[in-house]
């Protein structure tokens, strides 16, 4: 049962990494930009969830506020930061993105304080369920359920709707898509809006899991998310999901076997380095040599 508990923990963290990383995957697939500032969107979603929930007394309204605020912020990042830099080398917008992440982290520290904020009423985080000896928290169930719903909805959207098919066409064949009248600018805004909303959901659920949001909440997650999209195969949503679940499980079981020497984050990065050495093209990539 103990190992099953670890699997539940690993899968729940993997689902969180997946919702965080998919925004990076979508942006890279469309613009070939490493959207490091996505971690600031993740943190903003966490703060918005906590502040709105504390102000209204409703956790649902907290998540609703985050889902409204973060897409606007994500689209503003594209319009004000990335769009003027698209004509430059790919490392230029990436460096600008890192600068925005550092700026937002310091802004959170100035506005909300070094210690961060917590939920005033957070019974949901302490609700647990027992399934034949396996204890599962309500937040873990919410993480897995949210990831499942999100990826199913994303799949149906990109395969069954006209807008979604146009989105996929813009990513894979931009010139052909443009010749059929698909507006690439609208697709880019939609891309940032969806990715930012998913990051907000992940940030709010992590805030619930820890009952704390501090200025550095997105910093370590951003490094892991970047490594995940490389491991999954740059631009592959399916690969990102697989890599996220693998990372979550490795973290969970690694804390048992080598936790005495390395902490959770160090285990994750060590595993990512080893996996990339074994398969540098990622889970869904193909070897070019």
């Amino acid at each position: 049962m103990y190992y099953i508990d670890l699997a539940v923990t690993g899968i729940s963290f993997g689902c969180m990494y997946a919702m965080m990383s998919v925004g990076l995957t979508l942006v890279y697939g469309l613009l070939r930009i490493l959207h490091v500032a996505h971690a600031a969107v993740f943190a903003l979603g966490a703060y918005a969830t906590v502040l709105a929930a504390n102000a209204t007394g409703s956790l649902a309204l907290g998540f609703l506020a985050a889902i409204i605020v973060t897409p606007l912020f994500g689209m503003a990042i594209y319009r004000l930061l990335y769009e003027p830099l698209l004509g430059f080398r790919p490392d230029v917008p990436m460096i600008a993105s890192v600068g925005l992440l550092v700026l937002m982290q310091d802004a959170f520290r100035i506005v909300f304080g070094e210690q961060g904020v917590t939920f005033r009423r957070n019974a949901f985080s302490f609700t647990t369920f027992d399934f034949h000896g396996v204890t599962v928290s309500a937040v873990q169930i919410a993480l897995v359920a949210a990831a499942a719903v999100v990826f199913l909805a994303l799949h149906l959207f990109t395969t069954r709707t006209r807008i979604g098919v146009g989105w996929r066409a813009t990513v894979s064949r931009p010139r052909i898509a443009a010749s059929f009248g698909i507006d690439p600018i609208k697709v880019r805004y939609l891309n940032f809006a969806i990715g930012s909303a998913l990051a907000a959901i992940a940030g709010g659920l992590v805030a619930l899991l820890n009952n704390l949001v501090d200025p550095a909440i997105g910093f370590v997650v951003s490094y892991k998310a970047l490594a995940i999209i490389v491991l999954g195969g740059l631009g592959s949503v399916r690969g990102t999901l697989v890599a996220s679940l693998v990372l979550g499980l490795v973290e969970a079981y690694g804390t048992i076997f080598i936790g005495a020497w390395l902490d959770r984050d160090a285990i994750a990065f060590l595993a990512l380095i080893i996996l990339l050495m074994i398969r540098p093209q990622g889970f869904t990539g193909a070897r070019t040599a």
Side-chain angles (χ1 to χ4, degrees):
M1 288 302 175
Y2 180 64
Y3 288 101
I4 296 176
D5 280 334
L6 289 176
V8 171
T9 300
I11 291 172
S12 61
F13 270 92
C15 289
M16 182 272 290
Y17 292 144
M19 286 192 291
M20 166 65 181
S21 302
V22 72
L24 289 169
T25 299
L26 295 175
V27 171
Y28 185 85
L30 187 63
L31 299 177
R32 295 297 186 265
I33 292 174
L34 290 176
H35 179 32
V36 182
H38 195 60
V41 181
F42 174 87
L44 179 62
Y47 273 108
T49 302
V50 174
L51 296 174
N54 288 344
T56 62
S58 171
L59 190 58
L61 289 178
F63 277 99
L64 180 61
I67 294 172
I68 292 173
V69 170
T70 51
L72 296 175
F73 182 63
M75 290 187 289
I77 290 176
Y78 166 72
R79 177 65 184 87
L80 301 176
L81 184 68
Y82 292 142
E83 190 175 58
L85 300 177
L86 291 179
F88 295 87
R89 300 194 318 263
D91 57 331
V92 174
M94 184 191 70
I95 293 170
S97 185
V98 173
L100 178 60
L101 173 59
V102 174
L103 174 65
M104 290 300 298
Q105 184 176 352
D106 286 338
F108 290 140
R109 182 176 291 107
I110 293 170
V111 175
F112 302 112
E114 184 71 36
Q115 302 303 316
V117 295
T118 60
F119 288 94
R120 293 174 186 168
R121 293 180 291 275
N122 187 17
F124 186 77
S125 291
F126 302 101
T127 302
T128 59
F129 304 94
D130 186 81
F131 297 99
H132 303 288
V134 178
T135 302
V136 182
S137 72
V139 181
Q140 289 176 323
I141 295 174
L143 275 167
V144 176
V149 170
V150 160
F151 279 92
L152 177 60
L154 193 59
H155 172 73
L156 294 176
F157 173 73
T158 56
T159 58
R160 303 293 179 85
T161 67
R162 182 180 178 86
I163 299 175
V165 172
W167 181 12
R168 291 179 60 196
T170 303
V171 172
S172 58
R173 298 289 187 272
R175 292 183 180 178
I176 296 177
S179 68
F180 278 89
I182 298 173
D183 188 348
I185 303 301
K186 291 182 180 179
V187 171
R188 291 171 185 174
Y189 279 118
L190 178 64
N191 199 325
F192 276 87
I194 292 176
S196 298
L198 298 185
I201 296 171
L205 289 171
V206 171
L208 274 172
L209 192 64
N210 299 329
N211 197 25
L212 172 69
V213 181
D214 60 31
I217 187 172
F219 212 68
V220 174
V221 175
S222 68
Y223 296 145
K224 292 183 183 179
L226 287 172
I228 284 170
I229 68 170
V230 174
L231 181 60
L234 287 169
S236 171
V237 174
R238 178 169 58 88
T240 297
L241 175 59
V242 173
S244 299
L245 293 176
V246 168
L247 177 62
L249 290 170
V250 167
E251 279 187 359
Y253 286 104
T255 54
I256 300 303
F257 298 106
I258 58 175
W261 300 281
L262 299 173
D263 65 13
R264 186 185 189 95
D265 293 331
I267 292 170
F269 286 114
L270 176 62
L272 288 168
I273 291 170
I274 294 172
L275 288 171
L276 286 173
M277 290 176 66
I278 297 172
R279 192 171 174 84
Q281 75 274 27
F283 287 140
T284 61
R287 289 189 180 275
T288 57

